[in-house]
Amino acid sequence: MSSPTKDPVLEGPKKLAAAFPNKELSMSSLSIHADDYINNHQAVAPPMHVSTTFRYAENPDDLRPWDNVNPNAPYDSHIYSRDSAPNSTRLEAILTSLLGAPCLTYASGLSAFHAIICFLNPRRVAIGGGYHGCHGILKLFKKLNGLEQLELENDDDLAKLQPGDIIHVETPLNPTGEARDLAYYRKKADELGCYLTVDATFAPPPLQDPFQYGVDIVMHSGTKYFGGHSDMLCGVLAFRPDKAQEWMPTLREERLHVGSVLGSLEGWLGVRSLRTFELRIKRQAESAQKLVDWLVEEKAKEGSLVSEFVTKIQHASQQPEAKEEGSWLRKQMPVGYGPVFSLYLKTEEQAKRFPSKLHLFHHCTSLGGVESLIEWRAMSDLGIDKRLLRVSIGVEAWEDLRDDLIQGLEALKKDPKAQ
């Protein structure tokens, strides 16, 4: 008597959803269990695999070119780590569940952006301010093939776009934390026949879901909130579900040839980090909002320390649309805004000296970690206003962070070089 055919829904990636047919599991539950179907060991914590290569089948009759399915681990079968590996596969499984779209991981956020440009191969890209590294990638393509970079927020430049070109929107924007209207740019992309790609690093789920607006590719620097501990480099691309099946084989092949695959240690660190992802991002966003609200309130008080030194506070919550019921911003970010904001001090010297007065904020670049960071942004972005400080909020108590800012401003007031 032959054995019954296994139901792929119950045996594979959809097994968890099939167990809860009338319920959508929370982000935290998915972060912990979305990769359970890959398990082939009794260990609860995933092991770290460092092998770069994997044995083929022992039976010659089972050998097929570029196909190496292990019957004992069909969802964890590999050939060579430049194509796939156990730890990055688990990370991609969880990210696919969290982002609601098929994902690929890369060695860094910039390698992910590089993959977008390689794959879509546009002649023109409209891009706003945002992360200077993406502008650097576009300069490389300009050198290679003459790619033209256009200004996203210039209507005359947008009119130059042609079918197959890219509108690339970073939202919220680096370093200010301000948001951009995805519905508006989707409409523009449709009118012009362009792809719409989005860098959503500053507002991962549950803060924002760009796929609700028909975005073609969503990019994240996984180094930031997915990693969350300032100890791994990672890039992530998620693909519009109705296009993913067609696109992903080519994207995987191009990743294989370029060699921008995520390392095994980073894949393992990413899985570990995602287990607490929702807890972290909610805490960070809530604390950032409380700090921004406090700063705005203090800035309005004549004679306060904040009003004495701070000239401007930038964050999505401070955009006019944040106060408008039913606005595009309230619809796009319905549960809150990102954990990054910017402060402008009155002088360059004050901005340069203030981070060294703080004790709970590390003065360094990057963002998204459990520890709060502040950066005199001129250290890593040569074209930025030298009065700007970028602030990334961690998981410390917001009241402690507030008090650290207060004592830092008091110390700045006493510093003769800051006057």
Side-chain angles (χ1 to χ4, degrees):
M1 182 177 178
S2 61
S3 59
T5 303
K6 290 184 177 180
D7 185 340
V9 170
L10 297 179
E11 295 296 325
K14 297 180 181 178
K15 181 178 180 181
L16 192 61
F20 298 90
N22 301 313
K23 177 181 176 60
E24 185 173 338
L25 290 175
S26 70
M27 189 165 290
S28 287
S29 294
L30 294 174
S31 295
I32 295 169
H33 294 288
D35 59 329
D36 281 353
Y37 72 92
I38 298 175
N39 287 342
N40 52 54
H41 195 280
Q42 289 178 305
V44 171
M48 185 175 72
H49 294 272
V50 295
S51 182
T52 58
T53 191
F54 303 86
R55 284 188 292 270
Y56 295 135
E58 293 184 3
N59 185 350
D61 293 334
D62 292 334
L63 295 177
R64 289 165 182 74
W66 208 246
D67 182 14
N68 192 37
V69 175
N70 178 354
N72 296 317
Y75 300 105
D76 198 16
S77 300
H78 309 279
I79 296 173
Y80 187 56
S81 65
R82 193 153 41 81
D83 175 51
S84 68
N87 297 113
S88 57
T89 295
R90 291 186 78 129
L91 178 58
E92 289 169 351
I94 303 170
L95 289 169
T96 293
S97 180
L98 296 181
L99 295 172
C103 293
L104 287 177
T105 54
Y106 291 84
S108 69
L110 281 181
S111 63
F113 183 70
H114 179 270
I116 292 175
I117 307 303
C118 279
F119 175 68
L120 295 179
N121 194 25
R123 304 309 303 162
R124 287 153 287 271
V125 175
I127 184 171
Y131 182 49
H132 57 87
C134 291
H135 294 258
I137 294 291
L138 296 180
K139 287 179 182 177
L140 291 177
F141 278 89
K142 180 179 181 179
K143 180 177 74 171
L144 293 171
N145 63 15
L147 182 144
E148 184 178 2
Q149 182 175 327
L150 303 171
E151 173 52 52
L152 179 69
E153 298 183 29
N154 183 305
D155 289 340
D156 291 337
D157 266 17
L158 283 180
K160 298 176 184 177
L161 292 168
Q162 296 181 24
D165 289 339
I166 290 176
I167 293 177
H168 182 74
V169 181
E170 184 177 309
T171 185
L173 198 64
N174 185 9
T176 65
E178 294 180 313
R180 294 294 180 263
D181 185 351
L182 290 179
Y184 170 79
Y185 287 110
R186 178 70 268 174
K187 185 172 181 291
K188 282 288 184 184
D190 289 339
E191 290 171 357
L192 297 165
C194 296
Y195 297 107
L196 178 61
T197 64
V198 171
D199 183 341
T201 298
F202 274 42
L207 301 178
Q208 180 176 257
D209 179 10
F211 287 116
Q212 290 184 345
Y213 298 90
V215 168
D216 295 298
I217 301 177
V218 176
M219 164 193 160
H220 287 268
S221 173
T223 307
K224 311 306 192 291
Y225 292 102
F226 294 148
H229 294 77
S230 303
D231 58 8
M232 60 174 278
L233 288 177
C234 172
V236 178
L237 295 183
F239 309 100
R240 185 167 153 176
D242 63 338
K243 296 182 178 181
Q245 187 173 359
E246 175 190 352
W247 286 359
M248 285 188 71
T250 301
L251 282 152
R252 282 191 63 162
E253 182 181 2
E254 291 179 353
R255 184 181 66 174
L256 174 74
H257 294 312
V258 174
S260 54
V261 67
L262 188 70
S264 292
L265 171 61
E266 288 75 18
W268 183 88
L269 288 169
V271 172
R272 170 221 58 181
S273 298
L274 286 181
R275 302 309 196 201
T276 60
F277 170 70
E278 186 179 25
L279 301 175
R280 289 186 284 104
I281 192 68
K282 284 186 173 180
R283 168 79 172 223
Q284 290 167 293
E286 290 169 3
S287 293
Q289 189 63 63
K290 289 176 180 177
L291 283 166
V292 168
D293 291 343
W294 171 76
L295 285 162
V296 170
E297 182 180 339
E298 289 296 306
K299 185 176 178 298
K301 294 179 181 177
E302 187 176 347
S304 71
L305 278 168
V306 174
S307 67
E308 184 174 346
F309 290 101
V310 177
T311 63
K312 184 163 61 172
I313 302 160
Q314 286 187 295
H315 186 236
S317 68
Q318 301 307 300
Q319 294 176 243
E321 296 88 351
K323 309 295 189 291
E324 298 174 11
E325 191 70 35
S327 69
W328 66 264
L329 180 53
R330 297 276 287 270
K331 291 177 182 176
Q332 190 170 303
M333 303 185 76
V335 300
Y337 306 105
V340 174
F341 58 89
S342 283
L343 303 175
Y344 290 78
L345 300 195
K346 287 186 177 178
T347 70
E348 173 186 338
E349 193 65 23
Q350 289 173 358
K352 180 180 180 181
R353 304 186 77 80
F354 180 59
S356 65
K357 315 295 185 187
L358 301 173
H359 300 291
L360 297 182
F361 290 84
H362 295 300
H363 185 204
C364 53
T365 195
S366 200
L367 55 111
V370 292
E371 56 283 306
S372 291
L373 308 179
I374 189 168
E375 181 185 21
W376 180 42
R377 189 61 181 156
M379 287 293 292
S380 61
D381 187 345
L382 302 182
I384 205 73
D385 188 320
K386 290 181 171 55
R387 298 168 300 159
L388 188 149
L389 294 166
R390 188 180 69 183
V391 184
S392 169
I393 300 304
V395 300
E396 304 95 337
W398 83 271
E399 298 93 340
D400 294 340
L401 297 173
R402 174 201 61 197
D403 293 347
D404 196 26
L405 292 173
I406 292 171
Q407 71 80 27
L409 290 171
E410 289 173 342
L412 190 65
K413 189 172 184 177
K414 296 174 184 176
D415 186 342
K417 294 185 178 180
Q419 307 313 310

